[in-house]
Amino acid sequence: MSGVWIRDPVVMYTEIEHQAVLLDPRTRRVFDLNRTGTVVWDSIDEGIETAVMRVVTVFEIDEASARIDVELLLRQLVEAGLVSRRA
C-alpha cells in the first residue's frame, strides 16, 4: 500500500472535537472518522509512512498495529472513492 495518496478534492471535510466528518457531494454519502481516521486523513497526502508514524506518536501504539489500522482505513477510503493512489 505504499505510494502517494491523494484525497479527492471534491470531498468536503470538517473536524469536530478531534473527529472528522466527510461528505461526498456526488453521492451525498457522509462518512464519520474517529480520532485515528482523522489523523490518517490529515496526513495521508504526505504518504503512508507519515500517516503510520503520526498514529504511532498520537496514540502511543506500536508501528505494526498502526500500519494495520492505516492500511485498513485506506482500503475503506479507496472503496468509498474518497482517496486514490497517485501513479
Side-chain angles (χ1 to χ4, degrees), residues 10-13 21-26 28-31 82:
V10 173
V11 175
M12 296 176 198
Y13 165 88
V21 177
L22 309 175
L23 169 66
D24 185 341
R26 297 165 296 208
R28 296 183 181 177
R29 289 181 62 197
V30 175
F31 302 86
L82 303 176

Side-chain angles (χ1 to χ4, degrees), residues 62-76:
D62 63 278
E63 186 175 339
S65 296
R67 185 170 305 282
I68 290 168
D69 291 346
V70 169
E71 289 180 356
L72 175 62
L73 178 61
L74 276 176
R75 281 188 200 98
Q76 293 169 340

Side-chain angles (χ1 to χ4, degrees), residues 1-2 8-9 14 28 33-34 38 41-42 48-49 56-57 62 64 66 68 70-72 75-76 80 84 87:
M1 292 213 87
S2 62
D8 189 321
T14 190
R28 296 183 181 177
L33 297 180
N34 62 15
T38 302
W41 181 263
D42 287 341
I48 193 169
E49 296 306 319
V56 166
T57 301
D62 63 278
I68 290 168
V70 169
E71 289 180 356
L72 175 62
R75 281 188 200 98
Q76 293 169 340
S84 61

Side-chain angles (χ1 to χ4, degrees), residues 27-58:
T27 62
R28 296 183 181 177
R29 289 181 62 197
V30 175
F31 302 86
D32 295 316
L33 297 180
N34 62 15
R35 287 188 64 210
T36 304
T38 302
V39 169
V40 172
W41 181 263
D42 287 341
S43 58
I44 197 59
D45 57 341
E46 297 174 48
I48 193 169
E49 296 306 319
T50 299
V52 168
M53 293 317 296
R54 286 195 181 147
V55 170
V56 166
T57 301
V58 171

